[in-house]
Amino acid sequence: MIKNLTSLTTLSLRENKIKLLPDTIGELVSLSALDVAHNHLQCLPPGIGNCRQLITLDVQHNELVELPQTIGNLTLLKRLGIKYNRIEVVPDEICHCTELEEFNIEQNSVDMLPESLVTHFSKCSSLQLDRNKFQEFPPGPSNQFVDLAVRPCELLDRQRGRQSDVWMGGTVEWTVGY
């Protein structure tokens, strides 16, 4: 059935009880917006990487434990919402999504981002990292973000061996108490 929908540009399956997306989702080659938020998805199929026209991908409020490595194939992606899932690791391949403007991974179990994320996300103006397990921010210029949120998050100043709470939002502030 999906293979007959090759001209489909927007698909919203929000607020259903979907547990699995078929790998054939990748046959929707014209898809620019996919909204599967508020379901029961535990994984995204690798075929999602074939939806190379995707600009918006909303998978918030699911039960995702990981993102497929093929997420890096979505080089036109501008908005990625994966908040309120169970993701522990953001794959390095996410750095190939260089058009990303909004990236929200709030309320997951991520403790580290790919080291080159800040460098590759030069167009990203909103990075939501709230309520994860971060202990440090990846190296690179964090002043590119208009809306950087990491609240509350405990950061460890490894050089001084002290722990500090960091609250951010609105305009960029990066404060670590000493």
Side-chain angles (χ1 to χ4, degrees):
M1 179 175 136
I2 286 181
K3 67 180 178 180
N4 296 331
L5 301 173
T6 56
S7 298
L8 189 67
T9 58
T10 303
L11 177 59
S12 178
L13 296 167
R14 178 180 273 268
E15 296 182 25
N16 283 286
K17 295 180 181 182
I18 299 170
K19 292 183 180 180
L20 181 68
L21 280 180
D23 198 46
T24 54
I25 194 89
E27 295 178 15
L28 300 176
V29 294
S30 299
L31 198 62
S32 62
L34 176 60
D35 183 350
V36 290
H38 297 272
N39 278 289
H40 299 283
L41 296 174
Q42 294 180 346
C43 66
L44 288 176
I48 196 80
N50 294 330
C51 298
R52 294 175 189 254
Q53 299 303 309
L54 265 182
I55 294 172
T56 301
L57 177 57
D58 189 351
V59 295
Q60 64 183 332
H61 293 274
N62 275 286
E63 299 167 14
L64 297 175
V65 294
E66 66 181 1
L67 293 173
Q69 292 179 341
T70 58
I71 195 91
N73 295 347
L74 306 178
T75 56
L76 299 179
L77 199 62
K78 291 186 179 200
R79 288 173 292 287
L80 176 58
I82 56 176
K83 70 181 184 178
Y84 292 92
N85 278 285
R86 299 178 184 159
I87 294 170
E88 294 181 8
V89 175
V90 176
D92 290 338
E93 289 79 8
I94 196 82
C95 295
H96 297 292
C97 301
T98 56
E99 297 298 313
L100 212 53
E101 296 172 358
E102 300 172 20
F103 184 41
N104 189 334
I105 60 169
E106 177 182 346
Q107 189 67 45
N108 277 279
S109 295
V110 178
D111 64 356
M112 191 163 80
L113 292 172
E115 193 169 311
S116 59
L117 179 129
V118 175
T119 306
H120 285 88
F121 281 9
S122 63
K123 295 182 180 180
C124 190
S125 62
S126 179
L127 179 62
Q128 302 289 323
L129 306 173
D130 307 332
R131 293 181 284 283
N132 277 283
K133 297 181 179 181
F134 292 108
Q135 293 189 7
E136 62 183 30
F137 196 79
S142 60
N143 62 351
Q144 75 194 45
F145 302 110
V146 174
D147 182 14
L148 175 63
V150 184
R151 24 168 220 271
C153 177
E154 293 180 349
L155 294 181
L156 180 65
D157 181 343
R158 292 181 187 258
Q159 294 172 338
R160 293 183 174 79
R162 295 182 183 167
Q163 196 169 324
S164 304
D165 288 331
V166 176
W167 294 80
M168 290 180 232
T171 58
V172 173
E173 292 180 29
W174 191 257
T175 306
V176 179
Y178 297 140

